[in-house]
Amino acid sequence: MKNKAAKALLKMNMPANIKGFRYITEAMELFETDEIWSTKLSILYYKLSMMYNTTPRAVERAIRHAFSVVLTKGDLEVVETYLPLNYTTNGNLLNTFFLRLSLEG
């Protein structure tokens, strides 16, 4: 799942060198293995912060920034296949991204 997420993010033109890129790909892996995608995001942010030795707030901010970059500067045709363009909260974007990646097979 991590590789699928990375490929999709790169297709959307998300820079691979921003922290949010790593956090999003790792989140997709956690969603698949821990089935935490339907729980509160604070749990996800906490787990990611422990993995990367940072704070949950920094993780949340990095993910928000990464999505913001791709929604404003990315390839919108590709972005639309993975992310909603109208309801762009971190929770909705992460959950929708995970579900759409899962449906790809």
Side-chain angles (χ1 to χ4, degrees):
M1 180 60 82
K2 198 174 184 178
N3 288 337
K4 280 174 71 172
K7 286 178 186 177
L9 293 173
L10 290 171
K11 275 192 222 174
M12 290 186 265
N13 292 330
M14 181 180 286
N17 65 333
I18 58 177
K19 290 179 185 178
F21 184 94
R22 284 181 292 166
Y23 298 155
I24 293 168
T25 57
E26 197 66 53
M28 295 303 106
E29 188 75 16
L30 288 173
F31 280 4
E32 186 174 58
T33 57
D34 293 348
E35 296 183 10
I36 63 168
W37 65 274
S38 61
T39 64
K40 291 192 178 264
L41 283 181
S42 57
I43 296 169
L44 173 68
Y45 297 151
Y46 176 76
K47 284 188 174 196
L48 289 171
S49 71
M50 292 295 104
M51 292 170 70
Y52 288 96
N53 196 29
T54 188
T55 65
R57 182 177 166 99
V59 170
E60 184 273 332
R61 220 176 21 248
I63 290 172
R64 185 172 6 101
H65 171 72
F67 279 136
S68 174
V69 167
V70 83
L71 288 168
T72 57
K73 298 177 183 175
D75 183 345
L76 286 185
E77 269 187 44
V78 178
V79 171
E80 281 183 312
T81 62
Y82 295 103
L83 302 172
L85 298 179
N86 54 354
Y87 184 56
T88 58
T89 64
N90 272 4
N92 190 48
L93 292 170
L94 287 168
N95 287 328
T96 302
F97 187 49
F98 173 70
L99 291 171
R100 289 184 179 171
L101 283 176
S102 298
L103 292 173
E104 276 188 345

